[in-house]
Amino acid sequence: MSQPLNPVTEWEQRRDEATGYYKQGRFQEYLALATEILMLARIIPDRAREGHALNDIGLAHLGCSQPQRALECFHQALAVAQEFGNPRAEATALSNIGSTYSRIGKFAQALESFDKALQIFRKLEDAQGEISTLNDVALIYTRLGEPKRALLLQNQILTMRRLLGDFSGEATTFNGIGFAYSALGQYEQALEYFQAALPIQRAVKSLVGEATTLNNIASVYSDLGQPKQALLIYYQVLLTRRALKDRAGEATTLNNLGFTYNNLANHWQALKLYKQAVAIYQELGDRLGESSTLLNMGSLYATRRRKKLALSCYRNAQELAAEIEYQPLVQKVQQFIDALS
């Protein structure tokens, strides 16, 4: 008869099991197990392990697209890390807080958290932590309309990854560089970098990374005036997102499909897809995604001279953009409203 595990050994084993779920993108199972791990940490009792478990639960909520719950957990994990004077755990919690703020479009708060995390990672000489945080900062610069600044940072990150021999990380950086070139309207260069990321993601069997890159490639084809080519890839991405049960990714792909059908003047199909995307964004509480899709719906209605419906979509988008304090989107919606009158 085997001896029962002591609580500390059980905590370690359960956490290893939970990490496996996280890597597979099985976030509901990860959340359930991370919650059990938190209970175990409290039974031991071990405050440091409690902090790690709170961080894990935050990541699970983020994976399940529950950013407000994630923020609560990350702030609790940060308090525990500061209580114990654990700088690595503090930097990790700050970086996760930044990622969550970025997800909901609160970019000023995200950059503030990332800056604090970066200072700690650099003191610890934690290159991986620094690279991951710099990558998040670069993506925010692109979203804030500063792609040249993002490119400088991404090229710095690429050099750091190569020095570390971080092969899979190179694909992430290629995507970031492609994203910046796309924002600059340099679509051929963007395509080169996205296509360079794909074989790496396939080699390391990263389905999530591959789906993200294919989505980016399809967006470039759409921008290059090749909507039929874009559609083929988007449908491939949609199948992968659904197989992975990636609801946020599914909503993004549905929105992109709607946009492409709208470019092909298939308004009925575009509207159907936009509505599906909005329903998922509402279910996930993703205000940024919902407002962007509502803006696309409003544009469709405006094209068809259905001004009341267009204005309704724009007003809803404006309200959501104001809630998340995302000024570029607020300004963009205002421009669309002004153009309608």
Side-chain angles (χ1 to χ4, degrees):
M1 189 173 170
S2 61
Q3 291 291 314
L5 293 173
N6 72 59
V8 173
T9 307
E10 188 180 352
W11 187 92
E12 297 286 356
Q13 288 188 2
R14 292 271 187 101
R15 194 168 188 227
D16 285 344
E17 189 185 339
T19 301
Y21 284 138
Y22 181 75
K23 286 177 179 173
Q24 292 164 37
R26 294 161 67 181
F27 297 118
Q28 289 291 350
E29 289 147 300
Y30 179 56
L31 179 59
L33 202 49
T35 306
E36 284 180 33
I37 291 161
L38 178 63
M39 305 279 277
L40 260 177
R42 285 172 176 165
I43 288 165
I44 293 172
D46 187 321
R47 280 285 283 160
R49 281 188 168 83
E50 190 178 330
H52 292 313
L54 283 163
N55 192 65
D56 292 348
I57 292 171
L59 289 172
H61 281 306
L62 206 53
C64 294
S65 296
Q66 297 165 336
Q68 292 304 331
R69 288 188 184 183
L71 270 179
E72 287 166 23
C73 292
F74 292 142
H75 277 294
Q76 288 176 52
L78 178 63
V80 173
Q82 288 169 337
E83 177 189 329
F84 279 87
N86 184 337
R88 184 166 272 105
E90 186 180 346
T92 301
L94 282 164
S95 188
N96 288 333
I97 288 167
S99 295
T100 312
Y101 278 131
S102 180
R103 181 82 65 94
I104 58 176
K106 295 192 174 182
F107 296 129
Q109 283 152 289
L111 287 171
E112 189 183 327
S113 292
F114 286 141
D115 186 54
K116 288 176 185 173
L118 273 172
Q119 288 175 41
I120 299 170
F121 282 133
R122 282 169 179 157
K123 276 183 192 170
L124 295 170
E125 296 181 3
D126 182 340
Q128 285 289 6
E130 184 182 349
I131 286 168
S132 177
T133 309
L134 283 171
N135 183 71
D136 288 331
V137 170
L139 292 174
I140 288 179
Y141 285 146
T142 303
R143 290 193 179 104
L144 287 173
E146 298 182 59
K148 287 182 181 176
R149 195 173 176 184
L151 268 180
L152 286 171
L153 204 46
Q154 289 289 8
N155 281 304
Q156 180 188 331
I157 292 165
L158 188 60
T159 304
M160 291 168 79
R161 289 203 194 272
R162 285 174 172 164
L163 283 170
L164 290 173
D166 181 5
F167 180 60
S168 64
E170 278 191 41
T172 304
T173 306
F174 286 152
N175 253 319
I177 292 171
F179 184 45
Y181 274 124
S182 185
L184 284 164
Q186 296 178 27
Y187 302 121
E188 296 292 351
Q189 280 166 288
L191 203 54
E192 277 178 37
Y193 278 97
F194 292 143
Q195 286 171 338
L198 266 184
I200 299 173
Q201 283 156 340
R202 285 172 178 157
V204 298
K205 295 182 170 61
S206 171
L207 282 175
V208 174
E210 190 179 335
T212 302
T213 304
L214 283 169
N215 182 78
N216 292 340
I217 289 170
S219 296
V220 171
Y221 278 125
S222 184
D223 289 328
L224 286 170
Q226 298 177 46
K228 289 181 180 176
Q229 183 68 23
L231 279 181
L232 286 171
I233 300 171
Y234 280 138
Y235 275 114
Q236 185 184 336
V237 173
L238 188 62
L239 289 172
T240 306
R241 301 278 201 204
R242 284 174 173 165
L244 291 168
K245 295 179 181 171
D246 175 5
R247 294 289 280 160
E250 183 182 347
T252 300
T253 311
L254 287 165
N255 178 50
N256 291 341
L257 277 164
F259 189 79
T260 312
Y261 273 115
N262 188 46
N263 285 344
L264 287 164
N266 188 337
H267 298 133
W268 178 84
Q269 184 66 16
L271 205 54
K272 181 182 165 187
L273 290 157
Y274 284 150
K275 285 177 179 176
Q276 287 175 29
V278 165
I280 296 173
Y281 283 134
Q282 286 174 341
E283 173 198 319
L284 299 174
D286 184 343
R287 290 177 178 83
L288 185 58
E290 186 186 347
S291 57
S292 298
T293 307
L294 283 167
L295 197 59
N296 288 340
M297 283 177 70
S299 298
L300 186 153
Y301 284 130
T303 303
R304 300 184 72 189
R305 294 178 184 171
R306 298 176 73 176
K307 281 193 175 183
K308 282 186 182 176
L309 285 170
L311 192 58
S312 172
C313 288
Y314 291 156
R315 292 283 184 219
N316 289 337
Q318 190 176 45
E319 197 176 302
L320 290 164
E323 269 180 44
I324 57 174
E325 300 166 21
Y326 186 21
Q327 207 52 40
L329 190 60
V330 172
Q331 290 165 359
K332 191 177 178 184
V333 177
Q334 192 57 54
Q335 284 167 6
F336 277 70
I337 291 171
D338 293 342
L340 198 62
S341 53

